Amino acid sequence: MTDHGHRFTAPPPGPHGGDAPALARALGVRVGEILDLSASMNPLAPDVAPMICRHADAARTYPDPHAATAALAQAMGVDGSSLLLTNGGSEAIALVAYELGVAQVVEPEFSLWRRHLSVVQSEGSAGVGRVRSNPNNPSGRLAAGNEVAAAWDEAFYPLATGRWTRGDADRGALV
């Protein structure tokens, strides 16, 4: 690869993405100059640093999830008892994979499913549900309307469609 006429060797990809710091070091630039689309960040969102500074004192206590759960449930139009706030999508996938134990992973698919499932069955295994990201990670394609899965990762669904969910929870899937 070249950057402004200079050759550099790109660092090998990490196991989960979020490689902006290593790439910035390889390029000799600040990490803020890298747009890392492997991370669950909105590159168009306003700078969060001022908000963090205003609320830094809150870091001394555990947050109370009740108000956030109620607000999110209201915004999504769902019962709050059906929501579980997690420490990011990685924790959510780990919890769902632990709950399922066994599932099918059809490639290409987000690597965390394989990492956290107890057993990964081959495609077409009878009686075993599939796990799926929607839109697919890494292809970005939305699932077909008739596609079913035991569990869906919809972390980027609202960004891709403008809607909170496709509605698979109403059909018995974990979302």
Side-chain angles (χ1 to χ4, degrees):
M1 287 185 165
T2 63
D3 175 53
H4 307 298
H6 300 93
R7 270 192 80 64
F8 79 99
T9 302
H16 177 61
D19 302 325
L23 184 59
R25 280 191 303 277
L27 289 170
V29 299
R30 293 181 314 103
V31 73
E33 295 179 54
I34 303 293
L35 177 59
D36 182 359
L37 297 176
S38 72
S40 300
M41 312 286 180
N42 181 347
L44 304 177
D47 184 10
V48 297
M51 181 183 69
I52 291 171
C53 289
R54 285 193 312 270
H55 300 284
D57 61 326
R60 294 186 178 114
T61 61
Y62 283 108
D64 178 2
H66 297 96
T69 300
L72 183 59
Q74 182 178 13
M76 293 178 69
V78 300
D79 186 317
S81 66
S82 68
L83 294 179
L84 174 65
L85 300 186
T86 62
N87 193 16
S90 297
E91 181 185 19
I93 287 175
L95 291 170
V96 169
Y98 177 78
E99 180 68 24
L100 291 173
V102 178
Q104 296 174 28
V105 178
V106 179
E107 297 299 341
E109 188 51 75
F110 191 37
S111 65
L112 287 183
W113 289 114
R114 284 191 175 278
R115 185 178 306 164
H116 291 293
L117 285 164
S118 298
V119 176
V120 177
Q121 293 287 345
S122 60
E123 186 175 353
S125 298
V128 176
R130 177 181 178 194
V131 292
R132 171 82 161 76
S133 54
N134 189 25
N136 176 264
N137 180 343
S139 75
R141 291 188 188 101
L142 287 168
N146 62 350
E147 192 171 344
V148 296
W152 293 92
D153 167 9
E154 289 187 337
F156 292 101
Y157 192 82
L159 185 62
T161 67
R163 297 188 320 268
W164 281 108
T165 181
R166 195 174 87 147
D168 290 282
D170 296 336
R171 295 182 285 280
L174 292 169
V175 178

